[in-house]
Amino acid sequence: MKNKVPKLRFPEFSGEWEEKKFHSIFKIFNGYAFSSSDSRSNGIRWVKIADVGIKKMKEDSLSFLPFDYKKKYSNFLLNENDYVLALTRPILNNQLKIAKVNSNFHNSLLNQRVGKLESNQNIDFVYQLLQRNNIVSKIEVNIAGSDPPNLSPKEINNLKTNIPSLPEQEKIANFLSSVDIKIEKLEKKKELLEKYKKGMTQKLFSQKLRFKDENGNDYPKWEEKRLGEIAKFSKGKNITKTDISEEGFECIRYGELYTKYNEIIKEVTSKTNLKATELVFSEMGDIIIPASGETAIDLATASCVLKNGIALGGDINIIKTKENGIFLSYYMNNSKKYEIASLAQGISVIHIYNSQLGLLKLSLPSLPEQEKIANILSSIDRKIELIEEELEKNKEFKKGLLQQMFV
């Protein structure tokens, strides 16, 4: 029989945890079925399913109800630090849509199909408990079969788990909350840097922000040219899914360009077991663009490869130029994205050809100014990458804690 003791535990606690059914640990209070005709352009915030993300509230599509509903439906008011769950399609990517109500949603009204978590245990501990993979899996199994899947008490009330005493619950919750706060700060820092990059990119490519040379003089005016005037074009060779292996040449397949990589490619994640004679390899500074995809905007994705000898798959357009490749990839992604997309052809599968890319009109600064623009944008990207790395480490750390600090 399995001991009901966690692998990782604070030293002041001992003894086994107690097995309890979900209904004796927490309850779900359902929201009210407000009518869509009640919606207003401003008023009391109205918390719908779309507002409940994974571990955070979402604010990209806010809804409002009349101000007088605050008194009329006071039983359904939310307070800051309450926890809410999405009750329709409650699980996404093996994670429960559960979030802590922040100050922006204080005194908001709870809609039907969104539930408020209530408990006679430590509510913060219960929130952490509901993030565990095994708990989410139990819930998912018990709500499967309906379309869309709906979470209601009757489906999960009799599920079982183990919990410790209230003092140990509080200690665990406080520790995990401190990890969450660190993750939130890193996410906010990343978000701010991404906004800064976006603003800087707009200023640089609109020429509202210009650099001076080493003597303090203005650089020359930007010149208009077609991509075909400054570049030579070629294509990669086909690399199928079955050609991917653990050993062999590093490679990039066309779909990875808009799912894995950004403007600069320094390292790749795939390898192929094909022979060198069957492949086309990158040279430092090559710009690559997908030649086919599901949408036109997918194809408008330029990346500069900063490594020789990467095998480039079929349906990849390769652009070789004496211009600064890093500058061009940023420029094409940010200032020419929709123009590139407009060149695409097709219905079910969209294609873009080198002959079409050659017609693309560009406005280019001198090489020294290109280099300065490339350096500043790549330095911002590097800061974002470092934050992403730290963020992933903390998320993995949190996953490990959820595994080891619970039974």
Side-chain angles (χ1 to χ4, degrees):
M1 186 175 178
K2 182 183 176 183
N3 288 332
K4 298 174 183 177
V5 176
K7 290 181 181 178
L8 187 62
R9 198 174 197 182
F10 293 103
E12 62 267 37
F13 299 105
S14 60
E16 292 193 340
W17 288 21
E18 184 180 358
E19 185 177 71
K20 288 191 175 186
K21 290 183 177 180
F22 278 17
H23 70 82
S24 65
I25 299 172
F26 67 89
K27 290 180 173 58
I28 298 171
F29 175 77
N30 275 299
Y32 184 79
F34 295 104
S35 170
S36 57
S37 61
D38 295 332
S39 181
R40 298 290 185 271
S41 58
N42 59 69
I44 301 297
R45 282 196 173 178
W46 179 9
V47 176
K48 298 181 177 180
I49 288 176
D51 301 316
V52 184
I54 296 170
K55 293 180 277 191
K56 63 181 177 182
M57 300 298 290
K58 296 163 71 177
E59 301 189 39
D60 45 4
S61 58
L62 298 176
S63 301
F64 300 90
L65 292 164
F67 283 109
D68 61 351
Y69 278 25
K70 181 176 179 180
K71 184 176 181 181
K72 188 176 179 180
Y73 297 99
S74 59
N75 288 345
F76 298 93
L77 280 173
L78 291 168
N79 295 308
E80 185 177 0
N81 297 325
D82 283 342
Y83 289 102
V84 289
L85 302 90
L87 300 180
T88 297
R89 301 191 190 281
I91 295 170
L92 179 66
N93 297 328
N94 301 315
Q95 295 185 81
L96 194 64
K97 292 181 189 173
I98 181 170
K100 192 173 191 175
V101 174
N102 59 34
S103 58
N104 293 333
F105 286 93
H106 180 63
N107 276 340
S108 56
L109 284 163
L110 188 68
N111 194 52
Q112 188 182 38
R113 305 313 306 151
V114 181
K116 183 175 79 168
L117 199 65
E118 296 181 334
S119 179
N120 59 3
Q121 305 295 316
N122 183 293
I123 193 72
D124 298 317
F125 172 85
V126 176
Y127 167 66
Q128 300 292 347
L129 178 73
L130 289 171
Q131 292 178 40
R132 298 196 69 222
N133 289 338
N134 70 329
I135 297 292
V136 176
S137 296
K138 284 181 182 180
I139 293 172
E140 190 164 30
V141 166
N142 280 269
I143 65 172
S146 59
D147 188 22
N150 289 310
L151 175 59
S152 65
K154 68 178 182 180
E155 271 90 23
I156 63 169
N157 269 344
N158 290 319
L159 296 177
K160 295 177 182 179
T161 191
N162 300 288
I163 62 170
S165 65
L166 282 168
E168 189 169 3
Q169 288 181 30
E170 183 179 2
K171 193 81 182 258
I172 291 168
N174 288 342
F175 182 72
L176 291 175
S177 294
S178 68
V179 179
D180 284 339
I181 289 168
K182 187 172 183 181
I183 289 171
E184 286 167 17
K185 285 181 178 178
L186 287 168
E187 287 175 334
K188 186 64 177 176
K189 192 174 180 181
K190 180 189 171 190
E191 182 186 335
L192 290 172
L193 264 175
E194 286 171 340
K195 284 182 180 177
Y196 173 68
K197 179 192 170 184
K198 186 176 180 180
M200 184 62 71
T201 300
Q202 289 172 344
K203 288 178 182 178
L204 288 167
F205 293 133
S206 66
Q207 299 181 55
K208 288 180 180 177
L209 179 62
R210 294 289 305 275
F211 293 104
K212 305 273 187 186
D213 66 19
E214 60 274 10
N215 298 316
N217 299 318
D218 292 336
Y219 282 112
K221 287 184 178 181
W222 291 28
E223 293 183 20
E224 284 203 1
K225 293 181 180 179
R226 292 191 186 273
L227 185 57
E229 295 177 56
I230 61 165
K232 292 182 180 180
F233 304 93
S234 58
K235 284 191 71 173
K237 282 191 176 181
N238 195 35
I239 301 172
T240 68
K241 284 183 181 179
T242 57
D243 297 325
I244 300 300
S245 62
E246 292 184 4
E247 299 294 330
F249 295 105
E250 292 180 317
C251 69
I252 299 171
R253 299 180 70 239
Y254 79 94
E256 294 175 318
L257 289 179
Y258 47 85
T259 57
K260 287 187 179 181
Y261 300 115
N262 297 315
E263 287 96 346
I264 302 172
I265 301 177
K266 295 178 182 176
E267 299 295 335
V268 298
T269 57
S270 301
K271 290 183 178 180
T272 178
N273 54 17
L274 290 174
K275 296 176 182 177
T277 53
E278 301 174 277
L279 298 167
V280 170
F281 293 98
S282 68
E283 293 180 348
M284 177 78 73
D286 282 351
I287 297 166
I288 53 178
I289 293 179
S292 66
E294 294 181 4
T295 68
I297 207 69
D298 284 343
L299 303 188
T301 306
S303 300
C304 180
V305 184
L306 295 185
K307 198 171 185 181
N308 291 318
I310 304 295
L312 303 176
D315 279 340
I316 290 180
N317 293 311
I318 306 168
I319 302 169
K320 296 182 183 294
T321 178
K322 291 182 180 179
E323 306 294 323
N324 186 296
I326 298 174
F327 165 84
L328 270 179
S329 66
Y330 280 118
Y331 177 62
M332 292 169 74
N333 275 343
N334 292 281
S335 289
K336 294 294 173 179
K337 198 169 189 71
Y338 292 101
E339 285 182 51
I340 295 171
S342 70
L343 299 172
Q345 299 176 350
I347 300 174
S348 58
V349 178
I350 313 296
H351 298 279
I352 191 165
Y353 303 100
N354 282 323
S355 56
Q356 296 167 303
L357 288 172
L359 300 175
L360 188 68
K361 288 182 179 179
L362 309 173
S363 186
L364 300 174
S366 63
L367 279 170
E369 191 171 6
Q370 286 183 33
E371 185 177 357
K372 286 197 173 184
I373 292 170
N375 286 344
I376 193 167
L377 293 177
S378 57
S379 70
I380 297 170
D381 268 345
R382 181 57 186 150
K383 288 176 183 176
I384 293 171
E385 285 171 14
L386 290 172
I387 291 170
E388 284 175 341
E389 288 170 11
E390 191 176 354
L391 188 55
E392 282 308 306
K393 285 178 184 176
N394 279 275
K395 285 181 177 179
E396 286 301 314
F397 178 56
K398 171 77 184 287
K399 283 181 186 177
L401 293 174
L402 288 172
Q403 284 288 98
Q404 297 180 69
M405 295 185 79
F406 290 80
V407 175

